[in-house]
Amino acid sequence: VQQGAELACDRLRSTIAGLYECSPEDVFLFSCGMSAVDAAAQAVRRLHPGRPTAQVGFPYLDSLKVQEKFGHGVTFVPADARALQLLSPVVQAQLLAAVFCEVPSNPLLESPDIASMSPLLRQQGIPLVVDDVVATPYNIDVSAYADLVVTSLTKYLSGNGDVMGGAIICNPASPLHAQLRAIVEAQYEALLWGDDVIALDQQSLGFSERMKRHNEGGETIAERLRGHSAVDTVWYPKWDQGGHYESLRRPQGGYSSLLSFLVKNPEKNAPRFYDALELCKGPTLGTDFTLVCPYTLLAHYRELDWAESCGVSRYLIRASIGIEPPEQIWRRFKAALDILD
């Protein structure tokens, strides 16, 4: 089994390297996506000791907590037109260890203007760490701007939701590549379980074909939700206001399958809709089967007021659209929406 795991590890790193157009030596595997985020945070703190980090855009819960609890503080910056203005003074003063962001973010599916942020950061030698787990490298290319990419292999690369893994990709096009790669390698400990490596290696073979179907299903359901009279707002990368996601989208890429939405009169109707929806319920994403969850209540139950101050409603519902036939998925959404007042 050990020898099989080593061979699977080599193949998996080569598969990931092919997706990111880098060398397998630039790919480091971790036990889960959050372990990769933490390792990236450790690396940038070693590059710039004692400095805080910045998070641009409302992120997945633990991405922010890792920086808050284990670093030297974190500045939260909205991923809107103010981001560059707010970042510039602290960047120019070399007060940051790194800037972290998600492209697109989870759960609001917004993308920061990394094309404008990156040159500013690189002038001061400050790394940009991009989490692309929602979009995946099938859909977007951040190699012109990111210094490190962190991602979860638990999600789309697996597709089954029955295994965990994560990765850091050291971008060979980054001017900080040699420094960051040396730091990541020096602190690296291979803790991804052998059986998980074998499963991920096997499951990754269908990744590109699955992403085509995820893209189709996600866009179809997002469009249908947006047109339904019971739905107030839909968040989806296709409608990213700044066009920043679009500027990173690959020629064959789409908008992935994660979307969030708010029904009208949500205090009354969100629970009714959720209980009536005949689809699997759960907090992960990227599975072959559609998954729906009351995201804010699960991730931010003890900080709902803060989440709402950042534009994330406590009644927000997040859906990861699977590879089932889109019409089949939509029938179930529509049936639950049609009972609402």
Side-chain angles (χ1 to χ4, degrees):
V1 174
Q2 184 60 37
Q3 183 179 6
E6 289 177 0
L7 292 172
C9 184
D10 289 342
R11 286 194 301 267
L12 181 59
R13 291 177 71 199
S14 293
T15 296
I16 295 169
L19 294 169
Y20 287 95
E21 300 169 358
C22 67
S23 165
E25 284 69 39
D26 290 322
V27 178
F28 295 84
L29 300 179
F30 292 86
S31 57
C32 64
M34 200 46 56
S35 293
V37 171
D38 180 58
Q42 291 183 48
V44 298
R45 291 198 301 270
R46 291 188 182 188
L47 182 68
H48 295 306
R51 296 186 190 179
T53 54
Q55 175 72 46
V56 177
F58 190 93
Y60 171 69
L61 171 70
D62 289 339
S63 296
L64 191 61
K65 299 303 182 188
V66 161
Q67 297 172 69
E68 284 179 348
K69 295 181 181 297
F70 304 113
H72 301 285
V74 58
T75 299
F76 175 69
V77 179
D80 56 24
R82 297 172 291 167
L84 208 59
Q85 180 183 352
L86 293 171
L87 275 177
S88 290
V90 286
V91 170
Q92 297 290 356
Q94 295 183 316
L95 296 177
L96 292 177
V99 171
F100 286 72
C101 67
E102 298 174 349
V103 181
S105 65
N106 175 13
L108 292 182
L109 290 310
E110 58 184 353
S111 297
D113 184 7
I114 63 172
S116 297
M117 287 164 45
S118 178
L120 176 69
L121 296 173
R122 287 184 174 178
Q123 286 174 8
Q124 305 299 334
I126 297 173
L128 176 63
V129 183
V130 174
D131 183 334
D132 70 346
V133 67
V134 172
T136 80
Y138 179 84
N139 287 320
I140 64 169
D141 178 7
V142 298
S143 62
Y145 311 111
D147 299 294
L148 294 176
V149 178
V150 292
T151 198
S152 170
L153 309 179
T154 310
K155 312 299 194 301
Y156 291 102
L157 196 80
S158 163
N160 285 6
D162 62 352
V163 66
M164 296 181 73
I168 288 179
I169 296 88
C170 299
N171 180 13
S174 163
L176 295 171
H177 174 257
Q179 288 174 277
L180 286 172
R181 190 190 177 286
I183 293 171
V184 172
E185 185 172 36
Q187 70 183 29
Y188 181 66
E189 188 175 2
L191 295 176
L192 181 53
W193 185 247
D195 288 343
D196 284 351
V197 171
I198 292 170
L200 283 166
D201 174 45
Q202 294 170 345
Q203 293 165 3
S204 68
L205 298 177
F207 169 71
S208 294
E209 184 57 37
R210 290 199 309 271
M211 285 312 303
K212 294 178 186 177
R213 297 171 66 182
H214 277 302
N215 289 343
E216 178 189 357
E219 189 169 0
T220 298
I221 302 304
E223 293 277 9
R224 298 282 181 86
L225 285 170
R226 206 180 193 202
H228 195 284
S229 60
V231 175
D232 181 84
T233 308
V234 179
W235 291 270
Y236 189 61
K238 185 176 181 179
W239 305 305
D240 176 35
Q241 291 185 348
H244 306 312
Y245 181 96
E246 196 67 32
S247 69
L248 303 170
R249 189 162 66 92
R250 294 183 184 272
Q252 88 289 349
Y255 303 99
S256 202
S257 74
L258 196 70
L259 58 89
S260 298
F261 63 99
L262 195 63
V263 296
K264 293 178 180 175
N265 191 9
E267 184 173 1
K268 174 186 176 183
N269 284 331
R272 294 176 64 205
F273 166 80
Y274 189 77
D275 289 344
L277 183 63
E278 295 183 346
L279 287 167
C280 293
K281 312 291 173 62
T284 192
L285 60 98
T287 49
D288 290 352
F289 50 93
T290 298
L291 271 175
V292 184
C293 72
Y295 180 82
T296 317
L297 292 179
L298 290 180
H300 300 283
Y301 186 74
R302 298 185 186 279
E303 51 185 17
L304 293 174
D305 291 341
W306 174 77
E308 290 196 321
S309 75
C310 298
V312 184
S313 169
R314 69 187 64 202
Y315 303 109
L316 181 141
I317 296 170
R318 194 192 71 180
S320 172
I321 307 303
I323 61 174
E324 309 98 329
E327 291 299 330
Q328 175 184 317
I329 303 169
W330 175 243
R331 281 197 298 271
R332 299 187 178 217
F333 272 101
K334 186 175 185 301
L337 288 168
D338 286 348
I339 71 168
L340 304 182
D341 299 335

